[in-house]
Amino acid sequence: MAMRQTPLTCSGHTRPVVDLAFSGITPYGYFLISACKDGKPMLRQGDTGDWIGTFLGHKGAVWGATLNKDATKAATAAADFTAKVWDAVSGDELMTLAHKHIVKSVDFTQDSNYLLTAGQDKLLRIYDLNKPEAEPKEISGHTSGIKKALWCSEDKQILSADDKTVRLWDHATMTEVKSLSFNMSVSSMEYIPEGEILVITYGRSIAFHSAVSLELIKSFETPATINSASLHPEKEFLVAGGEDFKLYKYDYNSGEELESYKGHFGPIHCVRFSPDGELYASGSEDGTLRLWQTVVGKTYGLWKCVLPEEDSGELAKPKISFPETTEEELEEIASENSDSIYSSTPEVKA
């Protein structure tokens, strides 16, 4: 029986959502952070979209956001020429890292001891978070503003992307190992540690490269300009979104389009699979995050599968159920932390 995709809509932002990242799976589940041009990155429970808190402190658009694996720290990159590191449990700002231009990207090492930043000044910076007073190490070589910079190969190497170039750097020697050139602007880059795969989007193309050699593995063409793509943790599917407001789901092995559907009311800027692969999140120009099921109809998070009466002619669809205590719990948390990151409770709805 056909099942209809019913996304969860996470509101609360007032400007376009331009980046998002999931934590790893922790004893408390997994978490989702979003970067937005409203300057107020938000933390949510990953499987439900329930709002946890808003990090307050930036004075400009936030272009990048990330969580460390165990969701104890967050980092944000902003147009106010700073990157900030936060305690993701209390919401307290731990440090502000001043830059000379807009910061676009932040990424923690696996042990959370170092932070990689990059942005419009064309430099990669590595901060020792245990020595916040120390000057960062700097790597130069890009010829235009850097859009994304990521640790790879167990933090021994770094991947970075500017307008039309992706570069691979050796961490120990701080030198370039190899580079890729594209004939149009690179819109996004995702690194998959399991299998050392690099996902790059440019124009209508989604390309998969080896993160070790930068050799091309395969590439797909899409019907529209793509801004972001994400590969399922088990490498079965990939999802992508872009300028036509649609989300596309493809079979990774064959490249066959499996689904496409609209949900957002503006171009999609970022998509990412959850660490368990059960859902993926999308952020849009319309100021919302949406959560989508990888397998429609499965009971998971707030989705409860309800089959219609036989012979009713209706499509089966997952029902969104909200725990009775959710709103009360959030209000209680908000009141306890009113002087911290918690302000008002954004809405999660079907």
Side-chain angles (χ1 to χ4, degrees):
M1 181 176 286
M3 299 292 285
R4 190 172 71 195
Q5 176 74 264
T6 306
L8 298 175
T9 301
C10 306
S11 56
H13 284 301
T14 57
R15 296 286 309 284
V17 178
V18 291
D19 192 27
L20 57 87
F22 284 100
S23 71
I25 297 173
T26 78
Y28 307 98
Y30 60 87
F31 300 87
L32 171 64
I33 191 171
S34 54
C36 180
K37 289 185 181 179
D38 63 10
K40 297 175 181 178
M42 288 186 178
L43 183 68
R44 297 178 184 272
Q45 189 72 36
D47 60 339
T48 63
D50 287 334
W51 176 82
I52 295 172
T54 302
F55 298 100
L56 301 175
H58 279 297
K59 295 180 174 64
V62 176
W63 287 101
T66 193
L67 294 165
N68 64 350
K69 273 190 169 183
D70 59 8
T72 56
K73 288 181 181 177
T76 50
D80 60 8
F81 293 19
T82 70
K84 290 181 184 286
V85 180
W86 313 80
D87 182 320
V89 180
S90 69
D92 295 332
E93 183 181 313
L94 298 177
M95 61 186 75
T96 296
L97 307 171
H99 290 63
K100 296 177 182 177
H101 213 310
I102 294 168
V103 191
K104 285 289 188 78
S105 180
V106 280
D107 195 33
F108 289 106
T109 49
Q110 292 182 27
D111 60 11
S112 306
N113 287 330
Y114 295 89
L115 185 73
L116 173 67
T117 72
Q120 289 298 98
D121 62 2
K122 309 173 191 175
L123 293 173
L124 296 166
R125 289 183 172 85
I126 301 169
Y127 290 88
D128 184 340
L129 299 183
N130 296 315
K131 300 175 183 176
E133 71 288 343
E135 288 296 311
K137 295 179 183 176
E138 294 184 353
I139 303 176
S140 60
H142 276 282
T143 55
S144 61
I146 302 170
K147 296 179 177 180
K148 197 75 172 177
L150 301 167
W151 294 104
C152 66
S153 303
E154 298 181 334
D155 304 330
K156 294 173 184 171
Q157 294 184 309
I158 294 167
L159 288 158
S160 56
D162 62 21
D163 189 38
K164 295 182 179 179
T165 310
V166 170
R167 300 176 192 269
L168 178 66
W169 309 84
D170 181 78
H171 182 198
T173 62
M174 311 278 280
T175 56
E176 184 180 313
V177 178
K178 197 169 182 180
S179 67
L180 286 172
S181 295
F182 297 87
N183 58 6
M184 59 185 71
S185 182
V186 173
S187 51
S188 76
M189 184 172 73
E190 179 187 51
Y191 167 64
I192 311 295
E194 298 77 15
E196 296 288 334
I197 297 172
L198 182 61
V199 187
I200 301 169
T201 61
Y202 56 97
R204 296 188 173 195
S205 299
I206 306 169
F208 300 86
H209 290 258
S210 163
V212 177
S213 66
L214 296 190
E215 295 294 326
L216 180 66
I217 299 169
K218 64 175 73 178
S219 65
F220 303 138
E221 291 297 311
T222 63
T225 300
I226 295 297
N227 293 329
S228 182
S230 186
L231 181 61
H232 188 271
E234 294 179 6
K235 304 168 192 66
E236 298 172 354
F237 314 107
L238 62 129
V239 291
E243 294 300 308
D244 65 352
F245 305 10
K246 278 188 177 183
L247 277 160
Y248 294 90
K249 181 179 176 185
Y250 294 93
D251 182 290
Y252 174 66
N253 294 307
S254 68
E256 177 190 358
E257 182 184 313
L258 302 175
E259 300 171 78
S260 67
Y261 30 79
K262 278 189 179 179
H264 285 289
F265 298 97
I268 295 163
H269 295 308
C270 44
V271 294
R272 284 293 177 267
F273 270 107
S274 63
D276 62 3
E278 292 287 352
L279 61 80
Y280 46 99
S282 57
S284 167
E285 183 76 15
D286 66 14
T288 67
L289 279 167
R290 291 174 194 256
L291 304 182
W292 311 79
Q293 282 191 288
T294 303
V295 179
V296 179
K298 194 172 183 178
T299 293
Y300 180 84
L302 296 181
W303 288 282
K304 308 295 180 190
C305 183
V306 178
L307 294 176
E309 296 292 327
E310 287 190 27
D311 303 323
S312 68
E314 294 180 15
L315 282 176
K317 65 177 182 177
K319 177 184 177 184
I320 309 298
S321 72
F322 296 91
E324 293 178 6
T325 55
T326 299
E327 291 300 324
E328 289 83 351
E329 286 176 349
L330 283 173
E331 286 174 12
E332 184 180 337
I333 291 169
S335 64
E336 288 175 0
N337 297 275
S338 58
D339 59 344
S340 183
I341 59 173
Y342 302 94
S343 46
S344 59
T345 306
E347 184 181 9
V348 181
K349 61 184 179 182

